[in-house]
Amino acid sequence: MTTEEYHALTATPSNLQGHVSKSMLWAFAKSPFKWFNGEGFKGNAKTEFGSLVHALCFEHTVCKSRYMVIPDDAPRDVRNDSRIMSAKKPSQNSLDAIAYWDALDAENAGKIMVDPDNMAKAQTIAATVMESEHIYSYGACDYEVQVQGMVGSTPMKGMIDIAPHSGNNLGDLKVTSSIGNEESMARHIANMGYHWQGAMYLDLYNAIHGTNRSEFDLIFVEEDAPHEMALFTLSNNFLDKGREGYMNAIARWQQCVATKNFPPAHATKTTVEPPKWI
C-alpha cells in the first residue's frame, strides 16, 4: 500500500480499532486523556521536515506527487501560510494569498507545500545520507518496509526505514538538531521513545519474516550544515526496556479501549518527594 494509505490505518480517537503505531502509542502513553480528547498524534514543523528528508532518501520516486515547492510568483503572504512546511510563523493571509491557495489546491490535489530553502536543505541532507558510509555498509537493502501484526486483539504497524537483505539488524534515520556525546544521545533516545520503536519494529519484522534479528540501528544526521552523521546501535538492555515499555503501553491501551475510559496522566492523588538536588 502507499505511504498515505499506511498512515490512514493509524488508530485515532474516532477509530479505536485502527492500527497502533509507535508514534501514536508514545503520545497515548504520556496521557490517555490528552490523546483521546485532543487531536491524537499531531506532527510539527520538525516532524514534517523529517518526513520530507525520509521521502527524498527512500521514496524519491513519489516526491513529485507528494510535495510542491512554492513557486517564485506566489504572493508574499503565501510564504508565511500555516500550510507551508516551514519554520516560519504563519501570518494573516491576504485575499490574494487565499485565492492563490485555492487555485493551487484544485490543481495539485492537496500536495504539501514546501519553502524553497527547506527543499534545498532537505535535498542536501538526503544526498549526504545516501552517500554516507553508514548506508553503504548495509549493502543491498529494502527501504520503507511496512510491517503489520497483532498483539492480542490489537493491530500493530511500523514503517522500517532500512531492512538489509542480510544480517542481523534493521535501521532508522533520524534528523536531529544536534548530535551529542553517548550519554546525551542515550537520554535523547529514551526521551523520544526510539527504544520502543526499535523493539516494536524488530518484533513485527521477525514475526512476519520468521527471522531472529536482534539489532536496531539509529542513524542520526544533523539538520544544519555540514550535516554531521552518527550511527548508534541500541544495546540488548535498551531494547529490553523498549519492549517492556511498549508492551505495558499496549496493555493499558487495550484496557482503555475495552472500558472506553481514557484517564489523565495523574488519575489519583500523588505524594511528591523532594528532588535529590534539594
Side-chain angles (χ1 to χ4, degrees):
M1 67 180 68
T2 66
T3 300
E4 288 73 19
E5 291 170 337
Y6 167 85
H7 288 305
L9 293 176
T10 307
T12 64
S14 59
N15 177 26
L16 298 178
Q17 304 307 314
H19 286 62
V20 171
S21 67
K22 177 268 168 181
S23 298
M24 173 257 132
L25 190 63
W26 187 252
F28 161 82
K30 290 181 177 179
S31 172
F33 179 84
K34 284 183 179 179
W35 180 87
F36 185 75
N37 293 284
E39 300 180 14
F41 173 74
K42 185 178 180 181
N44 53 37
K46 284 188 175 295
T47 58
E48 290 176 349
F49 182 78
S51 295
L52 172 61
V53 172
H54 275 72
L56 289 169
C57 287
F58 309 128
E59 297 181 289
H60 58 274
T61 56
V62 300
C63 277
K64 288 185 178 180
S65 63
R66 189 179 303 165
Y67 297 97
M68 179 179 178
V69 177
I70 303 169
D72 293 335
D73 63 350
R76 184 175 179 181
D77 285 350
V78 168
R79 294 185 176 275
N80 290 327
D81 190 281
S82 60
R83 284 178 286 182
I84 297 174
M85 192 183 65
S86 170
K88 299 175 183 178
K89 295 181 179 179
S91 64
Q92 184 66 35
N93 284 323
S94 67
L95 293 178
D96 288 342
I98 293 174
Y100 187 85
W101 275 120
D102 290 342
L104 281 179
D105 288 346
E107 180 182 348
N108 292 283
K111 289 182 182 178
I112 299 172
M113 303 297 293
V114 183
D115 181 273
D117 291 340
N118 274 356
M119 177 59 80
K121 178 189 284 189
Q123 289 172 333
T124 300
I125 294 174
T128 300
V129 170
M130 299 310 291
E131 294 171 5
S132 71
E133 62 182 27
H134 302 308
I135 295 297
Y136 279 112
S137 68
Y138 288 118
C141 297
D142 291 323
Y143 298 120
E144 296 294 87
V145 177
Q146 299 176 21
V147 288
Q148 299 179 31
M150 300 291 292
V151 175
S153 59
T154 301
M156 307 281 294
K157 67 169 189 169
M159 181 83 80
I160 302 170
D161 286 347
I162 304 167
H165 290 178
S166 60
N168 190 40
N169 52 354
L170 301 173
D172 197 82
L173 175 67
K174 303 295 184 186
V175 180
T176 185
S177 58
S178 177
I179 296 173
N181 59 28
E182 182 179 338
E183 182 180 354
S184 66
M185 293 307 293
R187 286 197 303 269
H188 179 62
I189 290 168
N191 289 335
M192 298 300 293
Y194 295 154
H195 58 316
W196 284 27
Q197 180 184 13
M200 183 187 299
Y201 284 12
L202 284 168
D203 291 349
L204 288 172
Y205 186 91
N206 287 332
I208 291 171
H209 296 279
T211 54
N212 192 32
R213 299 198 185 199
S214 60
E215 294 184 6
F216 194 80
D217 297 337
L218 293 166
I219 302 174
F220 289 95
V221 59
E222 290 186 342
E223 181 177 348
D224 293 332
H227 310 301
E228 184 175 7
M229 295 181 63
L231 187 150
F232 294 88
T233 298
L234 299 181
S235 69
N236 290 335
N237 185 38
F238 221 151
L239 287 171
D240 288 343
K241 292 292 185 183
R243 186 167 290 108
E244 178 184 355
Y246 96 75
M247 291 298 289
N248 286 338
I250 286 294
R252 192 179 191 193
W253 165 259
Q254 292 171 341
Q255 181 182 25
C256 288
V257 171
T259 61
K260 301 297 189 292
N261 178 34
F262 291 77
H266 303 285
T268 59
K269 183 171 70 172
T270 303
T271 300
V272 180
E273 295 289 348
K276 292 182 179 179
W277 56 264
I278 291 181

